[in-house]
Amino acid sequence: MTAAGAPPIVFVHGTRFSAGQWSPQLAALQEDFRVAAVDLPGHGARSAQPWSLNAATEIIASAVDSLACGPALVVGHSLGGYASLEFARRCPEQLRGLVLAGASASTRGLWTTPYRWVARLVPRIPADRLARWNDRLLRRLYPPGVVEATILSGYAFHTLPAAWGEVLGRFDAGAMRHVAAPVLILNGEKDTVFRSGESDFARAHPHARIELIPRARHLANFDDPAAFTDAVRRFALQLPVRS
């Protein structure tokens, strides 16, 4: 049974993954919240769809509408966090709260140079080889119940250059000014790269706070699914009701 006044929650995955990234959170939260996880364009079931932030925004908006419970809490990880910032700017009436997970670093400036290099390199490596590397890494680091849905959904390496190409150079803390809802900046304690701008992002918004998952890295929802889910749950239940 959905908790009284609880917002619906839409989860938005990170680079190369799919809605399967959120299987631990969906399983833990579905009794108390209306929940959904999307595949961004070029990922998962939308593998054949060309990437664009416009399309990503439309997909998130459609997921919010599908839950039919009014404005939603949107939880975005990494690439999905930046897509969620764009959604917040374009569709403020559909947003009740925003969780940015591993998405509080500016995508502008010289530090992005290695990411541009990776985006150029990825298409030169066979996708099946990249998939094997990712499968082995995830299975070595995490229990099957945490990552098997991600592995079974496959990876969107073909979309990475276009997705990163559009996001890099586009976002910084100034994007927070366009978010008309409370924000939780939820990072892994050891995710030093994507924590680099968290203070700037928090200062740029009047109702933002930072919470860290102890000992977690960039994939904080894999490193400690229970702690990540608990942080989302607490934030959701603290959100003011919006008509």
Side-chain angles (χ1 to χ4, degrees):
M1 180 181 295
T2 303
I9 307 176
V10 173
F11 290 91
V12 189
H13 63 80
T15 293
R16 78 189 182 280
F17 290 157
S18 67
Q21 176 181 351
W22 300 109
S23 58
Q25 283 66 50
L26 297 178
L29 294 170
Q30 62 186 350
E31 290 188 9
D32 297 319
F33 300 87
R34 297 284 300 272
V35 294
V38 302
D39 285 329
L40 291 172
H43 298 75
R46 292 189 171 92
S47 180
Q49 181 178 350
W51 165 269
S52 75
L53 273 175
N54 286 341
T57 297
E58 292 170 1
I59 287 167
I60 297 169
S62 178
V64 173
D65 287 342
S66 74
L67 295 176
C69 294
L73 169 59
V74 176
V75 182
H77 173 257
S78 198
L79 173 66
Y82 296 110
S84 298
L85 276 171
E86 185 70 4
F87 167 78
R89 183 179 73 85
R90 297 188 186 198
C91 305
E93 73 286 351
Q94 291 184 281
L95 187 70
R96 189 161 156 190
L98 176 64
V99 176
L100 292 178
S104 53
S106 172
T107 68
R108 304 174 187 265
L110 289 176
W111 83 270
T112 65
T113 299
Y115 289 86
R116 296 183 188 279
W117 180 81
V118 170
R120 291 194 297 269
L121 176 64
V122 162
R124 303 178 187 178
I125 303 172
D128 58 344
R129 184 182 302 174
L130 290 170
R132 289 195 300 271
W133 290 347
N134 274 257
D135 288 352
R136 286 198 294 267
L137 179 65
L138 292 177
R139 287 182 171 131
R140 184 168 71 245
L141 293 177
Y142 305 110
V146 173
V147 297
E148 203 61 32
T150 293
I151 292 170
L152 291 173
S153 296
Y155 307 101
F157 298 111
H158 65 289
T159 301
L160 188 152
W164 286 15
E166 192 173 13
V167 167
L168 292 174
R170 190 181 187 105
F171 294 97
D172 58 20
M176 296 286 279
R177 296 195 300 268
H178 303 292
V179 183
V183 180
L184 173 63
I185 297 171
L186 182 61
N187 286 325
E189 178 188 15
K190 296 184 177 181
D191 186 12
T192 54
V193 171
F194 287 91
R195 286 189 59 196
S196 61
E198 66 183 9
S199 296
D200 293 334
F201 274 62
R203 282 194 296 267
H205 193 283
H207 303 291
R209 66 178 178 86
I210 299 167
E211 183 169 341
L212 301 180
I213 306 296
R215 298 174 297 280
R217 295 152 297 190
H218 187 55
L219 292 171
N221 79 299
F222 287 173
D223 286 319
D224 195 336
F228 190 99
T229 301
D230 180 62
V232 171
R233 181 190 299 275
R234 286 186 281 104
F235 183 65
L237 294 176
Q238 293 164 4
L239 289 173
V241 175
R242 289 183 59 182
S243 58

